[in-house]
Amino acid sequence: MKQDIILAGVGGQGILSIAYVIDNAALADGLFFKQAEVHGMAQRGGAVQSHMRLSDGTIWSDLIPKGEADMILSVEPLEALRYFDYLRPDGIVVTSSTPFRNIPDYPEIEKVMEAVRRAPRSVVVDSEKLAREAGTVKAQNIVLLGAAAAFLILREATLFQTIDTLFRGRGTSVLEANLKAFESGKKAALGS
Amino acid sequence: MSRQILLGDEAVALGAVHAGLSAGYSYPGTPASEIMEYLIHLAGENKAFKATWSVNEKVAYEEALGVSFAGKRALVSFKHVGLNVAADPFMNSAITGANGGLLVVSADDPGMHSSQNEQDSRYYVQFAQIFGYEPSDQQEAYEMTREAFDLSERFGLPVLMRLVTRLSHSRSPVETRDARPQNELKKGAAKDWILLPVNARRRFGLLLDRQAEMVRFSDESRFNVLKLNEGDRSFGVIASGVAYNYFREAEAGEASLPSFLKVSTYPLPEGLIRRLVGHVDTVLVVEDGYPFIERQLKGLFGIAGKTVLGKLSGTLPASGELSPDIVRRALGRGPLPALEASGLPLAARPPQLCVGCPHADTFKALNKALEGTSGSNVFSDIGCYTLGALPPYNAIHSCVCMGASIGMARGAADVGIRPAVSVIGDSTFAHSGITPLLGAAHADSDMTVIILDNATTAMTGGQPTYGSGERLLRLIEGLGVAKEHIRTIEPLPKHHDKNVQVIKDEIGHRGLSVIVAVRECVQEQRKRRS
Ligand code: SF4
């Protein structure tokens, strides 16, 4: 059993929190993992990605070879496209439809979404709307994690539990918003 | 035994603590910062050991050396170019030797994700003629760190560990073991530590005498793995560090592996290498960084009857970071089937200054003040403000190494560049800007230094800085800069016109002036408030 995931987004969008939840859930579920992430300069609003590899056997490379990724999980649609060549021909793209426009030449969003849907399997959620409804726009990353939950080889209960642990120390409203964000992401994915 | 999720950097920190560390020192720099971040976290409230951000890497090294002198175990960590700053004490510590175990961790950045060069720290291992480790995964980073302290005391020498970005910043579960207690205080002998020629010659002789033993230790190390394929003598692989993982990744699922040697320690395990090379006709050397192993293997004239492939032969690219895909290709395998790129031209998304960053306002004011001047040049330095090179600011014309902005501005001013402006952050100023400013103040060089005081080391995540606020102003005055030419501005949009005027005035002054732009980094402000 193995699963390779490219987590993508823009520096500051919280993909390291998604990674944190998956890492800890994997450990709890008895899986081995390697998860390479980006620190430093790119975190200042640049394109960031994390290679997340889960397996019940040996994992050699920290980086996913091109063509091996089972999933691209992106908090931003343009960023999802950046890693298409990592995806297996039958891989799945789970992405937000909310553009993060901090560059002057951001392509037309319709074209971006059209390109996303060219992937054989894609799940698109309006993370900004769902996160806001859940209580904070900051929880867009957790909305996406919820949207991906059904396709991960991790147990959903473990994911839920790990989100609980991660946000418990940050006050009840933050915790509740994130748990809600996870649930609404899950529901949105089923409907998409 | 317990299982923890650790970054490669964190595995080193925890390994050091479990090896009985008494003190660690560092200066922030990607990809090494997380070693000290985690050490500080581990030191926690009870501070069983010291974990300190130092003023710069040289100072960090000397602080660690003092710990070793006292018989205790010390860790000093930095990014690869930090070892350049610390090179003086580093090289000489190979002569004094280590009393308490001393581990130097230098994190290389192949591919220059966050650096100005790709230098390979393994050359420093060879340069100093000491022992070095190169882990391939987080577990090895932990194990090797523990062993390195024992080895340092056994050889009486500092030991270097080379990390690369990919391992430093990758997380994985690590099995850890019980901690060993710290050493007792036990001072070093003056005759070993006073490097007068008479002592240094004797000590250097001792260092040379230990070389053969180090090679033997390397040959016997459990971290170096030799597997010979008896059925195939045509081809073999020598791979080190994370490059070994890429080799195994490419071969995963194959019925049989080619002969291979995994190299994890330096000096090179000569016996193991001889056996591998003797067994096969063609050897592919896979290493992230410079062709360090490959060049030694080839020497000047190559090996008669053998073909050595690697970066020198062009089989692997000579620059940039290796990847599983690149190594796969070098092994003669085609690419895996993958989804086609979307076809949409993807706009690049480079890093940029945060919205509301004080540097943005300083650059806007500086650009305005320089408008209409001809021949001006802005020498910059290392930090978030290096992003002032990008549009919309296009505000700087150089960025070389920590502190270079001030020395370069002075040199340029000396030969007629005017206005010569230096832009440097408060942490970089404390690191390497004080000494060149002392010289420039003495000469009253015709230049303007702008110190961006945001009260933190921002680029690497907000570590403390030692020359900020009032202390910084007193320091500048103490260096001999004329009081009337030390000016302070607050880089905010509402002060734009006023700030432009201050900069214009000081650039107009035919002599040294220093402008301190004081406003806290917005990221730190946010952290403090949350
Ligand atoms: S981290 Fe601080 S100093 Fe760096 S760009 Fe952001 S606001 Fe500016």
XYZ file of all heavy atoms in Angstrom, chain B residues 79-122:
314
model
N 24.518 27.023 7.472
C 24.439 26.644 6.077
C 25.853 26.631 5.496
O 26.769 27.183 6.095
C 23.520 27.580 5.302
C 24.022 29.003 5.146
C 22.989 29.846 4.404
C 22.786 29.334 2.988
N 21.696 30.020 2.280
N 25.982 26.022 4.325
C 27.309 25.832 3.728
C 28.164 27.093 3.692
O 29.325 27.075 4.069
C 27.169 25.216 2.337
C 26.351 26.022 1.351
N 25.475 27.009 1.727
C 26.291 25.983 -0.009
C 24.910 27.531 0.648
N 25.398 26.922 -0.419
N 27.577 28.234 3.246
C 28.398 29.445 3.155
C 28.767 29.974 4.541
O 29.729 30.732 4.686
C 27.727 30.548 2.303
C 27.756 30.173 0.836
C 26.312 30.818 2.770
N 28.033 29.532 5.552
C 28.400 29.890 6.922
C 29.755 29.308 7.293
O 30.503 29.886 8.088
N 30.069 28.164 6.703
C 31.365 27.553 7.002
C 32.508 28.392 6.417
O 33.617 28.379 6.935
C 31.400 26.105 6.477
C 32.642 25.265 6.789
C 33.047 25.344 8.248
C 32.423 23.812 6.388
N 32.212 29.151 5.356
C 33.235 30.082 4.851
C 33.550 31.129 5.910
O 34.695 31.488 6.134
C 32.761 30.802 3.579
C 32.468 29.849 2.443
O 33.000 28.745 2.413
N 31.628 30.266 1.512
N 32.499 31.626 6.551
C 32.684 32.640 7.586
C 33.457 32.038 8.762
O 34.301 32.678 9.368
C 31.309 33.180 8.060
C 31.484 34.210 9.169
C 30.539 33.768 6.887
N 33.179 30.763 9.057
C 33.805 30.096 10.204
C 35.087 29.360 9.803
O 35.659 28.629 10.611
C 32.811 29.118 10.830
N 35.528 29.545 8.574
C 36.632 28.712 8.077
C 37.911 28.871 8.893
O 38.665 27.907 9.059
C 36.901 29.027 6.604
N 38.154 30.053 9.410
C 39.398 30.269 10.150
C 39.451 29.396 11.412
O 40.340 28.557 11.549
C 39.550 31.773 10.445
C 40.990 32.170 10.700
O 41.876 31.294 10.607
O 41.237 33.351 11.001
N 38.484 29.550 12.323
C 38.538 28.648 13.480
C 38.374 27.179 13.090
O 38.954 26.292 13.730
C 37.379 29.119 14.367
C 36.494 29.927 13.487
C 37.386 30.524 12.446
N 37.594 26.916 12.043
C 37.383 25.525 11.628
C 38.706 24.862 11.258
O 39.056 23.797 11.761
C 36.405 25.476 10.449
C 36.315 24.131 9.770
C 35.680 23.062 10.395
C 36.883 23.928 8.516
C 35.604 21.819 9.773
C 36.814 22.693 7.889
C 36.172 21.637 8.521
N 39.447 25.504 10.360
C 40.708 24.912 9.910
C 41.685 24.751 11.075
O 42.392 23.750 11.174
C 41.347 25.788 8.821
C 40.612 25.787 7.503
S 40.417 24.147 6.775
C 42.124 23.765 6.376
N 41.699 25.736 11.944
C 42.655 25.665 13.045
C 42.226 24.687 14.128
O 43.068 24.167 14.864
C 42.887 27.063 13.610
C 43.613 27.921 12.598
O 44.568 27.463 11.954
N 43.157 29.140 12.397
N 40.922 24.417 14.194
C 40.473 23.448 15.199
C 40.899 22.035 14.815
O 40.916 21.141 15.655
C 38.953 23.517 15.383
O 38.283 23.037 14.228
N 41.232 21.835 13.541
C 41.772 20.526 13.165
C 43.183 20.377 13.727
O 43.678 19.262 13.890
C 41.795 20.372 11.641
N 43.826 21.503 14.027
C 45.185 21.473 14.594
C 45.127 21.403 16.129
O 45.807 20.588 16.741
C 45.987 22.727 14.149
C 45.883 22.921 12.632
C 47.437 22.612 14.594
C 46.477 21.820 11.786
N 44.290 22.256 16.722
C 44.160 22.176 18.194
C 43.587 20.827 18.588
O 43.921 20.260 19.613
C 43.187 23.235 18.752
O 41.889 23.004 18.184
C 43.635 24.637 18.461
N 42.704 20.332 17.709
C 41.960 19.132 18.050
C 40.787 19.470 18.940
O 40.601 20.627 19.351
N 39.955 18.474 19.197
C 38.796 18.640 20.069
C 39.079 17.910 21.366
O 39.676 16.836 21.352
C 37.556 18.075 19.395
N 38.634 18.504 22.452
C 38.762 17.847 23.751
C 37.436 17.129 24.038
O 37.337 15.913 23.950
C 39.151 18.893 24.793
C 39.462 18.280 26.137
O 39.824 17.112 26.209
N 39.332 19.061 27.199
N 36.384 17.903 24.309
C 35.047 17.308 24.299
C 34.608 17.165 22.850
O 35.076 17.902 21.981
N 33.726 16.227 22.561
C 33.273 15.990 21.187
C 32.756 17.258 20.528
O 31.980 17.996 21.127
N 33.197 17.498 19.303
C 32.782 18.702 18.572
C 32.256 18.305 17.202
O 32.989 17.756 16.381
C 33.977 19.654 18.420
C 33.766 20.905 17.552
C 32.618 21.763 18.061
C 35.055 21.734 17.505
N 30.969 18.554 16.974
C 30.368 18.241 15.677
C 29.995 19.536 14.953
O 29.286 20.375 15.485
C 29.122 17.364 15.847
C 28.386 17.032 14.531
C 29.269 16.249 13.568
C 27.098 16.244 14.813
N 30.483 19.656 13.733
C 30.188 20.789 12.859
C 29.183 20.308 11.833
O 29.458 19.348 11.123
C 31.447 21.217 12.080
C 31.181 22.521 11.348
C 32.663 21.270 12.970
N 28.027 20.937 11.762
C 27.058 20.537 10.743
C 26.949 21.645 9.710
O 26.657 22.790 10.040
C 25.680 20.249 11.365
C 24.701 19.823 10.283
C 25.800 19.175 12.423
N 27.222 21.291 8.469
C 27.174 22.263 7.388
C 26.139 21.778 6.380
O 26.249 20.692 5.829
C 28.553 22.368 6.747
O 28.533 23.320 5.714
N 25.107 22.583 6.162
C 24.007 22.161 5.294
C 24.155 22.805 3.921
O 24.032 24.027 3.784
C 22.670 22.524 5.927
N 24.433 21.981 2.933
C 24.616 22.457 1.561
C 23.268 22.667 0.885
O 22.259 22.096 1.295
C 25.418 21.438 0.742
C 26.858 21.312 1.222
O 27.257 22.089 2.111
O 27.570 20.428 0.710
N 23.302 23.443 -0.192
C 22.056 23.767 -0.888
C 22.217 23.542 -2.398
O 22.182 24.503 -3.175
C 21.681 25.226 -0.573
C 20.285 25.602 -1.040
O 19.491 24.688 -1.328
O 19.988 26.810 -1.122
N 22.387 22.273 -2.820
C 22.491 22.018 -4.262
C 21.222 22.534 -4.952
O 20.118 22.321 -4.464
C 22.569 20.492 -4.365
C 22.949 20.006 -3.007
C 22.409 21.017 -2.037
N 21.402 23.213 -6.047
C 20.245 23.797 -6.722
C 19.995 25.226 -6.297
O 19.152 25.913 -6.869
N 20.714 25.675 -5.257
C 20.589 27.059 -4.770
C 19.143 27.476 -4.549
O 18.685 28.490 -5.079
C 21.264 28.033 -5.752
C 22.741 27.796 -5.915
S 23.520 29.029 -6.967
C 24.217 28.001 -8.263
N 18.400 26.691 -3.791
C 17.021 27.062 -3.470
C 16.992 28.384 -2.725
O 16.100 29.195 -2.912
C 16.379 25.978 -2.599
C 16.284 24.653 -3.271
N 15.293 24.355 -4.167
C 17.065 23.558 -3.198
C 15.458 23.119 -4.616
N 16.532 22.618 -4.046
N 17.938 28.568 -1.823
C 17.958 29.783 -0.985
C 19.399 30.213 -0.740
O 19.744 30.567 0.375
C 17.304 29.489 0.368
O 15.924 29.716 0.349
N 20.231 30.160 -1.763
C 21.658 30.433 -1.550
C 22.261 31.098 -2.764
O 21.671 31.102 -3.836
C 22.427 29.131 -1.285
O 21.872 28.440 -0.206
N 23.498 31.589 -2.558
C 24.178 32.251 -3.666
C 25.215 31.376 -4.341
O 25.848 31.782 -5.294
C 24.779 33.591 -3.219
C 25.836 33.513 -2.112
C 25.261 33.538 -0.719
O 24.327 32.817 -0.395
N 25.834 34.356 0.154
N 25.444 30.161 -3.832
C 26.297 29.218 -4.553
C 25.944 27.788 -4.153
O 25.080 27.569 -3.299
C 27.793 29.531 -4.344
C 28.322 29.087 -2.991
O 27.833 28.138 -2.384
N 29.345 29.763 -2.499
N 26.602 26.795 -4.773
C 26.316 25.375 -4.495
C 27.507 24.676 -3.879
O 27.690 23.490 -4.068
C 26.010 24.595 -5.775
C 25.009 25.120 -6.714
C 24.457 24.041 -7.664
O 25.146 23.062 -7.975
O 23.298 24.203 -8.076
N 28.384 25.422 -3.202
C 29.624 24.791 -2.721
C 29.336 23.534 -1.912
O 28.301 23.406 -1.267
C 30.436 25.785 -1.904
C 29.783 26.184 -0.597
C 30.590 27.232 0.145
O 30.875 28.298 -0.375
N 30.955 26.923 1.376
N 30.286 22.611 -1.976
C 30.103 21.280 -1.395
C 30.995 21.148 -0.158
O 32.223 21.177 -0.260
C 30.483 20.251 -2.472
C 30.167 18.824 -2.070
O 30.315 18.499 -0.871
O 29.778 18.043 -2.956
N 30.390 20.992 0.997
C 31.142 20.999 2.258
C 32.102 19.825 2.398
O 32.969 19.843 3.274
C 30.176 20.998 3.442
O 29.406 22.170 3.447
N 31.953 18.819 1.548
C 32.868 17.680 1.663
C 34.303 18.112 1.370
O 35.249 17.502 1.858
C 32.428 16.551 0.733
C 31.074 15.956 1.163
C 30.596 14.903 0.200
N 30.374 15.455 -1.137
C 30.125 14.722 -2.211
N 30.065 13.417 -2.114
N 29.923 15.306 -3.388
